[in-house]
Amino acid sequence: MRRTRATQATTPPEIHKPDEQWRQELTRQQYDVLRRGHTEQAFTGRYLYAKGNGSYYCAGCGNELFRSDAKFASGTGWPSFVQPASEAAVELRTDQGWLLRRTEVVCRRCGGHLGHVFRDGPRPTRRRYCINSCALSFEPTPSDRDPGDGQPGG
Ligand SMILES: [Zn+2]
């Protein structure tokens, strides 16, 4: 028995794709970060200094992960957020392989590696979600978009 619609779960359905498919759909860098847990080089990400209003979606599956109002300048070299868009958007996994214990942040929907969360963020959450730019895809809110003047294709 397989139910396609859970009545009480807030967790979005998980996306499972063969590794080969991820390789084809993602850029090399996105694949290395999302599927292999790599970290992009500090101060190189496209969203590091981004300030526009909108939402950051998973580059792998389109799940809404963070909102621009939770973004802050941490000075660490990666986009940083005080909280996810919703509790159900991400999953936290304790990563105990190293001397330093870190908490990994993954996309709840596709399991893609996003970054890590630390406890040195600003008030009120004190959390710093340190996220790779290439794991994200930004969409500005409609009101923040250029109204446009009828030009096709912008
Ligand atoms: Zn995802």
Side-chain angles (χ1 to χ4, degrees):
M1 286 273 283
R2 198 176 135 223
R3 286 164 193 245
T4 48
R5 253 174 238 181
T7 47
Q8 51 181 335
T10 53
T11 306
E14 276 206 30
I15 290 176
H16 292 288
K17 288 183 190 177
D19 194 58
E20 199 50 44
Q21 196 177 338
W22 284 121
R23 272 183 198 274
Q24 286 170 12
E25 290 180 5
L26 303 171
T27 67
R28 174 68 190 270
Q29 190 188 29
Q30 286 172 331
Y31 177 83
D32 282 345
V33 170
L34 284 163
R35 310 314 309 175
R36 304 188 70 192
H38 289 196
T39 299
E40 71 190 10
Q41 212 180 336
F43 298 101
T44 63
R46 63 189 294 203
Y47 297 131
L48 178 57
Y49 300 112
K51 286 197 166 71
N53 292 321
S55 293
Y56 292 85
Y57 296 86
C58 176
C61 72
N63 187 21
E64 186 183 22
L65 299 171
F66 297 96
R67 299 205 178 110
S68 56
D69 56 9
K71 194 172 186 287
F72 71 102
S74 67
T76 58
W78 293 276
S80 300
F81 302 86
V82 296
Q83 63 186 18
S86 76
E87 291 299 321
V90 299
E91 186 179 326
L92 305 182
R93 295 179 186 163
T94 306
D95 165 1
Q96 286 174 308
W98 288 77
L99 295 172
L100 183 68
R101 190 171 135 162
R102 297 188 301 180
T103 302
E104 184 188 5
V105 183
V106 303
C107 172
R108 177 100 65 176
R109 191 186 280 171
C110 72
H113 171 83
L114 306 171
H116 292 88
V117 61
F118 302 95
R119 291 168 177 270
D120 57 8
R123 291 167 186 269
T125 66
R126 302 269 193 203
R127 295 294 185 273
R128 172 169 60 90
Y129 287 78
C130 184
I131 306 298
N132 292 285
S133 286
C134 70
L136 302 172
S137 175
F138 179 72
E139 287 286 335
T141 52
S143 59
D144 206 44
R145 274 195 189 120
D146 223 12
D149 49 10
Q151 287 180 0

